mmCIF file of all heavy atoms in Angstrom:
data_model
loop_
_atom_site.group_PDB
_atom_site.id
_atom_site.type_symbol
_atom_site.label_atom_id
_atom_site.label_comp_id
_atom_site.label_asym_id
_atom_site.label_seq_id
_atom_site.Cartn_x
_atom_site.Cartn_y
_atom_site.Cartn_z
ATOM 1 N N MET N 47 121.348 106.464 88.052
ATOM 2 C CA MET N 47 119.931 106.548 87.698
ATOM 3 C C MET N 47 119.118 105.507 88.439
ATOM 4 O O MET N 47 117.908 105.637 88.560
ATOM 5 C CB MET N 47 119.749 106.410 86.192
ATOM 6 C CG MET N 47 119.965 105.011 85.648
ATOM 7 S SD MET N 47 119.641 104.930 83.903
ATOM 8 C CE MET N 47 117.904 105.268 83.883
ATOM 9 N N GLU N 183 120.130 100.231 81.966
ATOM 10 C CA GLU N 183 120.048 101.682 82.044
ATOM 11 C C GLU N 183 118.635 102.164 82.330
ATOM 12 O O GLU N 183 118.393 103.366 82.455
ATOM 13 C CB GLU N 183 120.551 102.311 80.737
ATOM 14 C CG GLU N 183 119.752 101.952 79.495
ATOM 15 C CD GLU N 183 120.299 100.720 78.787
ATOM 16 O OE1 GLU N 183 120.626 99.742 79.465
ATOM 17 O OE2 GLU N 183 120.361 100.758 77.544
ATOM 18 N N MET N 184 117.687 101.244 82.459
ATOM 19 C CA MET N 184 116.320 101.624 82.759
ATOM 20 C C MET N 184 116.200 102.110 84.202
ATOM 21 O O MET N 184 116.957 101.693 85.077
ATOM 22 C CB MET N 184 115.384 100.427 82.554
ATOM 23 C CG MET N 184 115.277 99.938 81.131
ATOM 24 S SD MET N 184 114.570 101.172 80.025
ATOM 25 C CE MET N 184 112.899 101.294 80.659
ATOM 26 N N LEU N 231 111.589 113.604 79.712
ATOM 27 C CA LEU N 231 112.964 113.375 79.277
ATOM 28 C C LEU N 231 113.365 114.279 78.114
ATOM 29 O O LEU N 231 114.450 114.145 77.581
ATOM 30 C CB LEU N 231 113.151 111.911 78.864
ATOM 31 C CG LEU N 231 112.925 110.885 79.961
ATOM 32 C CD1 LEU N 231 113.232 109.495 79.438
ATOM 33 C CD2 LEU N 231 113.780 111.184 81.176
ATOM 34 N N LEU N 276 120.571 112.398 83.202
ATOM 35 C CA LEU N 276 121.590 112.336 82.158
ATOM 36 C C LEU N 276 121.695 110.937 81.588
ATOM 37 O O LEU N 276 121.789 110.742 80.375
ATOM 38 C CB LEU N 276 122.943 112.776 82.725
ATOM 39 C CG LEU N 276 124.106 112.753 81.724
ATOM 40 C CD1 LEU N 276 123.860 113.751 80.605
ATOM 41 C CD2 LEU N 276 125.417 113.045 82.421
ATOM 42 N N GLY N 277 121.653 109.926 82.467
ATOM 43 C CA GLY N 277 121.732 108.551 81.998
ATOM 44 C C GLY N 277 120.599 108.210 81.051
ATOM 45 O O GLY N 277 120.788 107.516 80.053
ATOM 46 N N MET N 278 119.387 108.706 81.360
ATOM 47 C CA MET N 278 118.237 108.418 80.503
ATOM 48 C C MET N 278 118.359 109.123 79.158
ATOM 49 O O MET N 278 117.970 108.590 78.118
ATOM 50 C CB MET N 278 116.958 108.845 81.205
ATOM 51 C CG MET N 278 116.631 108.006 82.416
ATOM 52 S SD MET N 278 115.129 108.611 83.236
ATOM 53 C CE MET N 278 115.252 107.706 84.785
ATOM 54 N N LEU N 279 118.892 110.348 79.175
ATOM 55 C CA LEU N 279 119.024 111.090 77.930
ATOM 56 C C LEU N 279 120.068 110.477 77.010
ATOM 57 O O LEU N 279 120.078 110.744 75.814
ATOM 58 C CB LEU N 279 119.387 112.545 78.239
ATOM 59 C CG LEU N 279 118.243 113.390 78.814
ATOM 60 C CD1 LEU N 279 118.788 114.704 79.346
ATOM 61 C CD2 LEU N 279 117.173 113.640 77.777
ATOM 62 N N HIS N 280 120.950 109.657 77.555
ATOM 63 C CA HIS N 280 121.998 109.043 76.745
ATOM 64 C C HIS N 280 121.533 107.783 76.028
ATOM 65 O O HIS N 280 122.274 107.218 75.248
ATOM 66 C CB HIS N 280 123.204 108.700 77.626
ATOM 67 C CG HIS N 280 124.204 109.798 77.732
ATOM 68 N ND1 HIS N 280 124.908 110.283 76.661
ATOM 69 C CD2 HIS N 280 124.613 110.540 78.806
ATOM 70 C CE1 HIS N 280 125.720 111.248 77.050
ATOM 71 N NE2 HIS N 280 125.553 111.429 78.353
ATOM 72 N N THR N 281 120.354 107.302 76.317
ATOM 73 C CA THR N 281 119.922 106.034 75.728
ATOM 74 C C THR N 281 118.536 106.153 75.126
ATOM 75 O O THR N 281 117.689 106.908 75.616
ATOM 76 C CB THR N 281 119.914 104.911 76.788
ATOM 77 O OG1 THR N 281 119.422 103.703 76.184
ATOM 78 C CG2 THR N 281 119.035 105.270 77.958
ATOM 79 N N ASN N 282 118.303 105.393 74.070
ATOM 80 C CA ASN N 282 116.977 105.339 73.467
ATOM 81 C C ASN N 282 116.101 104.271 74.101
ATOM 82 O O ASN N 282 114.897 104.208 73.837
ATOM 83 C CB ASN N 282 117.098 105.058 71.957
ATOM 84 C CG ASN N 282 117.634 106.239 71.191
ATOM 85 O OD1 ASN N 282 117.340 107.393 71.518
ATOM 86 N ND2 ASN N 282 118.423 105.961 70.166
ATOM 87 N N LYS N 283 116.698 103.405 74.927
ATOM 88 C CA LYS N 283 115.951 102.271 75.460
ATOM 89 C C LYS N 283 114.767 102.715 76.311
ATOM 90 O O LYS N 283 113.689 102.118 76.262
ATOM 91 C CB LYS N 283 116.870 101.368 76.278
ATOM 92 C CG LYS N 283 116.201 100.079 76.721
ATOM 93 C CD LYS N 283 117.176 99.123 77.393
ATOM 94 C CE LYS N 283 116.470 97.824 77.774
ATOM 95 N NZ LYS N 283 117.401 96.859 78.419
ATOM 96 N N VAL N 284 114.962 103.785 77.092
ATOM 97 C CA VAL N 284 113.883 104.269 77.942
ATOM 98 C C VAL N 284 112.729 104.775 77.088
ATOM 99 O O VAL N 284 111.567 104.423 77.305
ATOM 100 C CB VAL N 284 114.381 105.369 78.899
ATOM 101 C CG1 VAL N 284 113.243 105.897 79.756
ATOM 102 C CG2 VAL N 284 115.497 104.833 79.785
ATOM 103 N N ARG N 285 113.050 105.616 76.111
ATOM 104 C CA ARG N 285 112.002 106.150 75.243
ATOM 105 C C ARG N 285 111.279 105.033 74.491
ATOM 106 O O ARG N 285 110.058 105.061 74.334
ATOM 107 C CB ARG N 285 112.599 107.141 74.251
ATOM 108 C CG ARG N 285 112.964 108.469 74.881
ATOM 109 C CD ARG N 285 113.395 109.466 73.801
ATOM 110 N NE ARG N 285 113.634 110.764 74.376
ATOM 111 C CZ ARG N 285 112.708 111.654 74.652
ATOM 112 N NH1 ARG N 285 111.441 111.367 74.412
ATOM 113 N NH2 ARG N 285 113.017 112.819 75.166
#
Side-chain angles (χ1 to χ4, degrees):
M47 73 177 294
E183 62 269 44
M184 295 297 294
L231 298 184
L276 180 64
M278 292 178 193
L279 287 168
H280 270 297
T281 177
N282 288 325
K283 187 173 182 179
V284 178
R285 286 187 175 278

